[in-house]
């Protein structure tokens, strides 16, 4: 489960085409209201590709969610990041959606959304998952032309307001000067620290201190929000009601050696099942009926066998390899050649090698075509190439045409955050501490079965180790989906996963008068 900084969110982390009007807009739905343009709205030219640290644009809209009209206000703009001396050192770009028919916002949940990378913008969940619009793609998530977007009938905006935040060098967010040290932003600890300060500014400016608050992060964004849960409590005195981890990373939880090698197998099995590469008796079972057998073998047989190393007898090693081949779609010889430790990169190349295809890293339903069949890994990430078809045009047109935010600055789908300091990543334990200290705080984990970067079984393992004592079980839940890293690109999962978030938010809200105590 090795992460690369270039991953979205879509990273382990997650753009719409020109739309002269929204697809599926019906005549009785009002067009978007004209934007109100503050005096300090950023004005740039081709000779000055920069953005002010503070400025905003407001537009008014309506979306139909679950058959009911939901009016809302969208604010796009920037707010400053402050240094220790109170000087603005960066401007963070955000998009803030507020349901506009709410009378008492003190009781209205606020969801603060981040994607991953760590150098990825918040575009992925913004225009494909929880927000009021979604990409114009087919039901399985593949791009179609003309590129575009349409209303999201499953958005969480009916139950919560949402703000999507782009960290420094992603989206339109930038440092104020090249002289600002990058270590103020680019590292596990630095990222959490400055974003917590920014959240304080946002919540204060928008008068949301009384609101129940939730964080949602995807891929590296799960590392981010897990650390933020404790940082907000300890440094900003801001307490949350819930954290949602979408396709979570390792969260600083140790899993090297035999553990790391063994935990990949259930993901291999899910992918092989999807591509019909398993023996008939397994293939004829439903995915979720087949996987428990593989998971049990992984924990109870494979992990101890790999741990034994040279102590493992040849007969036992061959027996283990035979079972791994049965569950993975790979040959027994290949598994023995890798000494029971098959790299994911090789798996993506090998599984469909005889059919002339590779499988995707972030979503192994996607197939790629390499220059040659030989080799130990794919030439490219088939799924990410496909996604960028749909997202990049869409987000640029949506922000400019629909939200009326005008700038010549390039919207960074992925921005440079090198060098990134990974030292001191204890974010999984940070989240545990936050939950231990705050009885209101609940956790939801969402995983796609076909995600090979932040795979579903590693997510389960993280939950087990995060709460090894089992004292937080009543406030923790996991959900799996039949898609990949961005499970919401599949229409069926878009609906189901959003409903899970809505149910989670409602469940995490305390009853009237219910005190925060154990």
């Amino acid at each position: 489960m090795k992460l690369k900084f270039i991953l979205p969110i879509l990273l382990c982390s997650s753009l719409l085409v020109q739309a002269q009007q929204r697809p599926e807009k019906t005549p009785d739905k009002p067009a978007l209201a004209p934007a109100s343009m503050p005096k300090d709205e950023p004005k740039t030219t081709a000779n000055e590709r920069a953005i002010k640290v503070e400025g905003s644009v407001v537009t008014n809209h309506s979306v139909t969610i679950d058959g009911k009209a939901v009016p809302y206000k969208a604010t796009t703009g920037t707010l400053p990041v402050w240094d220790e001396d109170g000087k603005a050192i960066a401007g963070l770009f955000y998009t803030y959606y507020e349901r506009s028919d709410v009378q008492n916002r003190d009781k209205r949940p606020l969801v603060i959304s981040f994607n991953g990378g760590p150098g990825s913008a918040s575009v992925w969940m913004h225009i494909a998952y929880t927000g009021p619009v979604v990409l114009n793609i087919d039901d399985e998530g593949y791009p179609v032309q003309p590129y575009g977007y349409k209303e999201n009938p499953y958005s969480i905006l009916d139950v919560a307001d949402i703000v999507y935040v782009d960290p420094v060098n992603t989206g339109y967010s930038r440092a104020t000067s090249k002289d600002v040290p990058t270590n103020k932003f680019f590292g596990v600890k630095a990222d959490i620290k400055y974003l917590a300060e920014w959240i304080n500014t946002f919540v204060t400016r928008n008068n949301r201190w009384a609101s129940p608050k939730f964080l949602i992060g995807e891929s590296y964004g799960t590392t981010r929000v897990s650390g933020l849960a404790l940082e907000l409590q300890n440094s900003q005195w801001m307490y949350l009601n819930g954290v949602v981890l979408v396709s979570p990373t390792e969260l600083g939880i140790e899993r090297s050696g035999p553990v790391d090698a063994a935990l990949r197998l259930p993901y291999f099995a899910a992918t092989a099942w999807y591509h019909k590469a398993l023996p008939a008796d397994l293939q004829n079972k439903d995915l979720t009926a087949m996987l428990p057998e593989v998971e049990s073998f992984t924990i109870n047989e494979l992990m101890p066998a790999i741990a034994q190393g040279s102590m493992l007898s040849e007969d036992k090693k061959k027996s283990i390899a035979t079972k791994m081949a049965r569950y993975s779609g790979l040959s027994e010889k290949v598994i023995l050649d890798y000494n029971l430790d098959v790299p994911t990169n090789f798996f993506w190349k090998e599984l469909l090698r005889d059919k002339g295809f590779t499988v995707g890293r972030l979503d192994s339903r996607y197939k790629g075509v390499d220059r040659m069949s030989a080799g130990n890994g794919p030439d490219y990430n088939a799924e990410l190439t496909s996604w960028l078809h749909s997202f990049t045009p869409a987000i640029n047109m949506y922000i400019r045409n629909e939200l009326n935010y005008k700038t010549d600055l390039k919207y960074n789908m992925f921005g440079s955050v090198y060098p990134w300091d990974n030292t001191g990543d204890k974010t999984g334990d940070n989240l545990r501490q936050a939950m231990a200290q705050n009885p209101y705080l609940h956790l939801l984990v969402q995983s796609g079965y076909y995600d090979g970067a932040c795979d579903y079984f590693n997510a389960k393992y993280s939950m087990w180790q995060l709460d090894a004592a089992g004292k937080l079980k009543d406030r923790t839940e996991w959900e799996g989906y039949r898609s990949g890293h961005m499970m919401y690109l599949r229409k069926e999962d878009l609906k189901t996963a959003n409903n899970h978030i809505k149910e989670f938010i409602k469940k995490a809200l305390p009853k009237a008068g219910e005190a925060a105590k154990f």
Side-chain angles (χ1 to χ4, degrees), residues 109-226:
L110 172 66
V111 175
I112 304 167
S113 181
F114 295 96
N115 272 97
S120 174
S122 65
V123 53
W124 316 98
M125 291 196 291
H126 181 179
I127 61 170
Y129 191 8
T130 52
V133 301
V134 289
L135 295 178
N136 184 30
I137 51 181
D138 78 0
D139 287 353
E140 292 298 314
Y142 291 88
V144 295
Q145 288 184 329
Y147 302 118
Y149 52 90
K150 55 193 173 186
E151 286 189 352
N152 183 1
Y154 313 116
S155 171
I156 66 171
L157 188 55
D158 56 337
V159 302
D161 295 338
I162 321 163
V163 57
Y164 298 92
V165 187
D166 291 338
V168 171
N169 272 11
T170 74
Y172 293 134
S173 299
R174 302 290 190 274
T176 56
S177 165
K178 292 182 179 179
D179 296 330
V180 178
T182 59
N183 62 11
K184 294 281 187 182
F185 315 113
F186 301 157
V188 174
K189 292 182 177 180
D191 181 72
I192 290 166
K193 182 179 179 181
Y194 89 81
L195 288 173
E197 291 282 351
W198 187 92
I199 290 171
N200 186 310
T201 299
F202 177 86
V203 167
T204 301
R205 294 280 189 94
N206 290 279
N207 196 27
R208 298 307 298 261
W209 275 98
S211 301
K213 299 172 191 67
F214 295 79
L215 298 179
I216 181 171
E218 181 178 35
S219 197
Y220 185 85
T222 61
T223 299
R224 183 172 278 141
V225 300
S226 295

Side-chain angles (χ1 to χ4, degrees), residues 36-43 55-58:
S36 60
M37 307 290 282
K39 292 181 180 179
D40 62 347
E41 189 260 337
K43 294 180 175 62
S56 63
V57 177
V58 176

Side-chain angles (χ1 to χ4, degrees), residues 226 229-230 233 239 429-439 441 475:
S226 295
L230 186 64
Q233 287 184 194
Y239 287 74
D429 193 60
N430 293 160
L431 179 56
R432 180 200 62 78
Q433 289 183 59
M435 294 181 71
Q437 296 172 21
N438 177 8
L441 184 53
R475 288 185 282 144

Side-chain angles (χ1 to χ4, degrees), residues 263-457:
L263 289 178
R264 305 171 198 144
L265 184 63
Y267 154 71
F268 288 175
T271 298
W273 181 90
Y274 178 82
H275 290 290
K276 297 180 171 52
L278 294 180
D281 62 317
L282 294 176
Q283 199 67 57
N284 290 335
K285 293 182 179 181
D286 186 65
L287 175 66
T288 54
M290 178 271 296
L291 286 175
E293 178 182 334
V294 185
E295 294 176 6
S296 176
F297 167 75
T298 298
I299 295 296
N300 298 314
E301 297 185 58
L302 180 56
M303 200 175 294
I306 297 175
Q308 290 179 55
S310 62
M311 291 287 291
L312 189 68
S313 70
E314 287 302 313
D315 287 346
K316 182 64 175 176
K317 188 173 184 178
K318 187 176 186 305
S319 172
I320 293 290
T322 299
K323 287 188 177 181
M324 287 183 70
R326 168 176 161 78
Y327 294 138
S328 67
L330 304 178
S331 72
E332 182 178 319
K333 180 182 185 305
V334 159
I335 291 168
L336 286 171
D337 285 346
Y338 273 102
N339 201 29
L340 310 183
D341 184 3
V342 180
T344 49
N345 200 52
F346 179 80
F347 175 79
W348 301 322
K349 181 77 172 185
E350 178 70 12
L351 181 66
L352 301 181
R353 193 192 299 264
D354 61 342
K355 295 180 174 62
F357 295 108
T358 62
V359 299
R361 175 178 182 265
L362 293 163
D363 192 328
S364 295
R365 296 176 302 150
Y366 290 71
K367 294 186 288 189
V369 179
D370 280 0
R371 185 170 65 90
M372 60 178 64
S373 294
N376 292 322
D379 291 350
Y380 64 98
N381 291 337
E383 77 299 327
L384 185 54
T385 299
S386 175
W387 295 339
L388 289 170
H389 260 281
S390 307
F391 279 91
T392 310
I395 190 63
N396 281 280
M397 302 314 298
Y398 175 64
I399 290 175
R400 175 172 289 270
N401 296 346
E402 201 82 57
L403 302 183
N404 210 19
Y405 193 90
K406 305 292 196 298
T407 177
D408 282 331
L409 197 66
K410 182 171 72 173
Y411 187 91
N412 283 342
M413 301 290 289
F414 304 102
S416 174
V417 293
Y418 179 82
W420 187 269
D421 184 0
N422 278 308
T423 59
D425 181 1
K426 299 294 182 184
T427 50
D429 193 60
N430 293 160
L431 179 56
R432 180 200 62 78
Q433 289 183 59
M435 294 181 71
Q437 296 172 21
N438 177 8
Y440 279 157
L441 184 53
H442 290 66
L443 172 64
L444 169 64
V445 179
Q446 297 183 309
S447 297
Y449 289 112
Y450 308 127
D451 180 0
C454 303
D455 69 82
Y456 88 92
F457 199 57

